[in-house]
């Protein structure tokens, strides 16, 4: 530890400021049903970005933005450089009608930790950074975790900028429209360690009455878009046996995925979007377009699930006399976090007197991408009732503060304080 002033004290997070900022950010993009929608690179997300950048500047951080729109607040270390840093990150884009914590809690907690260093007058031995990565949710642009993927070198910038949303607007155009394309090359700030604090978004910590989740890894994710082409015909005159019903074929796939997942024990499958054409009450659908989200902590079992889906699509096409096309949107391999860093998270939780348990994340996170380029780990706090991706997402203030308390302790341990 080196002093920026006369006598540095130990960094302490100001919980009231953190909770106030979480609440303020949660009010950006609010809808009448109590959720908020800040799809990546939208006008409402831009308002959230502006707020976060202002808070970074107020905390005395150096703000840099890269060409995929990732935002970094940096506190330089004793050597004045950017190398060998420790980064804390997450995202501030949301799903549709989201809760207040997903991603925002991690970004604002990282900011709270860096602010604590500044306010204590402590110059860290190595640079600290807080990151808000672009398009983590993947609702508007696929793949998800796009900003961290590009920063980690997993996709060339040019390819990412050309990805289009459902309306044909590309990432590059969306960045330009809201003026959020920065000047830094993605990957200009690759840390030695990456930490992400997040609400669990699942029911385990709440059910087990544990305050801290020591995250050992993230399960694998595979996203598909499936298009079924059948034949439109009259709902009242076409005998059931003479139909080539795209809607029915889509329903068969959905039921198959649920049953296959239930019997597999570990695989999760979700048909989260579906659209029919012509979409009329008395017309047999000529087209159904739907998405499939498959997840499994075991990469081989995820591959089996993908193969099972492919075989079922082929069989259904044949049996129902429809054409089925599938496009692979995303494949993220399961990730195992750095053992030593995971142990440090557990040690910090124990030393702070918080109950904890080890678990594997069901949700995708930027930490998955960063784990490819540095030592990475995550900390979870309970989601009440396991609810997330919903306006009803809740975590108690006490648990939010316990999480950032552990995060700061991990940072201090990693830096050798
Ligand atoms: C991101 O939130 C995901 O797991 O889909
Ligand atoms: Mn998230
Ligand atoms: Mn999410």
């Amino acid at each position: 530890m080196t002093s920026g002033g006369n006598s540095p004290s130990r960094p302490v997070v100001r919980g009231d400021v953190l909770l106030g900022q979480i609440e303020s950010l949660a009010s950006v993009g609010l809808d009448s049903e109590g959720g908020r929608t800040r799809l990546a690179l939208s006008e409402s997300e831009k308002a959230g970005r502006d707020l976060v950048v202002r808070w970074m500047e107020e905390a005395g951080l150096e703000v840099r933005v890269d060409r995929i729109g990732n935002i970094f607040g940096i506190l330089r270390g004793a050597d004045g450089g950017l190398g060998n840093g420790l980064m804390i990150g997450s995202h501030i884009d949301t799903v549709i009608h989201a809760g207040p914590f997903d991603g925002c809690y991690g970004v604002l907690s990282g900011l709270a930790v860096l602010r604590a260093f500044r306010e204590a007058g402590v110059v860290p031995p190595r640079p600290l950074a807080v990151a808000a990565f672009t398009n983590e949710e993947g609702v508007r642009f696929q793949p998800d975790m796009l900003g961290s993927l590009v920063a980690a070198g997993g996709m060339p910038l040019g390819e990412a900028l050309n990805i289009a949303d459902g309306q044909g607007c590309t990432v590059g155009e969306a960045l330009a429209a809201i003026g959020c394309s920065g000047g830094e090359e993605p990957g200009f700030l690759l840390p030695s360690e990456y930490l992400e604090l997040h609400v669990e978004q699942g029911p385990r910590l709440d059910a087990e009455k544990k305050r801290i989740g020591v995250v050992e890894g993230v399960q694998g994710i595979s996203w598909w878009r499936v298009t079924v082409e059948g034949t439109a015909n009259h709902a009242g005159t076409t005998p059931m046996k003479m139909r080539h019903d795209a809607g029915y074929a889509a329903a068969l796939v959905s039921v198959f995925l649920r049953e296959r997942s239930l019997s597999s024990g570990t695989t999760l499958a979700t048909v989260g979007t579906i659209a029919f054409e012509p979409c009329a009450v008395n017309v047999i659908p000529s087209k159904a377009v739907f998405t499939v989200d498959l997840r499994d902590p075991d990469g081989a079992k995820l591959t089996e699930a993908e193969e099972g889906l492919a075989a079922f699509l082929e069989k259904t096409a044949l049996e129902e006399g429809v054409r089925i096309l599938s496009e692979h949107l995303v494949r993220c391999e399961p990730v195992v976090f750095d053992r030593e860093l995971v142990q440090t998270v557990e040690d910090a939780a124990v030393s702070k007197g918080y109950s904890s348990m080890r678990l594997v994340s069901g949700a995708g996170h930027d930490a998955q991408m960063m784990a490819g380029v540095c030592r990475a780990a995550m900390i979870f706090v309970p989601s009440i009732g396991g609810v997330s991706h919903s306006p009803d997402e809740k975590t108690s203030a006490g648990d939010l503060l316990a999480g950032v308390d552990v995060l700061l302790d991990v940072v201090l341990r990693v830096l050798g304080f």
Side-chain angles (χ1 to χ4, degrees), residues 137-160:
E137 294 290 7
V139 172
R140 182 173 180 193
F141 300 104
Q142 292 87 44
D144 51 351
M145 289 143 337
L146 183 67
S148 49
L149 175 71
V150 173
M155 181 185 281
L157 174 66
E159 186 180 331

Side-chain angles (χ1 to χ4, degrees), residues 91 93-95 98 101-103 136-139 198 201 295 363-365 388-389 393:
H91 60 98
D93 67 314
T94 71
V95 295
F101 303 122
D102 182 356
E136 190 272 352
E137 294 290 7
V139 172
H198 209 285
Q201 306 183 273
R295 305 198 190 203
H365 296 289
S388 189
H389 282 188
E393 178 183 75

Side-chain angles (χ1 to χ4, degrees), residues 2-18:
T2 43
S3 165
N6 287 335
S7 54
S9 51
R10 203 172 165 82
V12 178
V13 163
R14 278 201 285 143
D16 55 334
V17 177
L18 171 60

Side-chain angles (χ1 to χ4, degrees), residues 178-307:
I178 60 166
C180 285
S181 175
E184 304 292 344
E185 286 307 315
F188 80 101
L189 188 66
L190 288 181
S192 296
E193 297 92 6
Y194 176 84
L195 296 169
E196 188 164 346
L197 173 61
H198 209 285
V199 291
E200 183 201 342
Q201 306 183 273
R204 292 187 57 199
L205 293 174
D206 191 34
E208 305 280 336
K209 300 279 169 272
K210 305 284 188 200
R211 293 194 91 178
I212 297 295
V214 178
V215 188
E216 293 184 298
V218 185
Q219 67 180 343
I221 304 175
S222 176
W223 284 0
W224 297 81
R225 184 188 298 119
V226 180
T227 303
V228 185
E229 290 171 356
T231 310
N233 211 335
H234 198 293
T237 61
T238 317
M240 296 308 286
K241 289 204 165 135
M242 286 179 64
R243 298 177 179 216
H244 304 289
D245 183 338
Y248 176 61
L252 285 175
V253 177
S254 184
V255 171
F256 162 77
L257 287 171
R258 183 176 171 85
E259 285 173 355
R260 190 191 176 284
S261 298
L262 280 169
S263 62
S264 87
T266 55
T267 305
L268 297 134
T270 305
V271 175
T273 73
I274 189 159
F276 292 138
E277 282 182 23
C279 205
V281 64
N282 55 357
V283 184
I284 296 163
S286 58
K287 193 169 179 179
V289 182
F290 59 97
T291 52
V292 177
D293 174 318
L294 297 172
R295 305 198 190 203
D296 200 296
D298 180 333
K301 289 186 81 174
L302 186 61
T303 302
E304 278 171 31
E306 291 173 331
E307 289 167 356

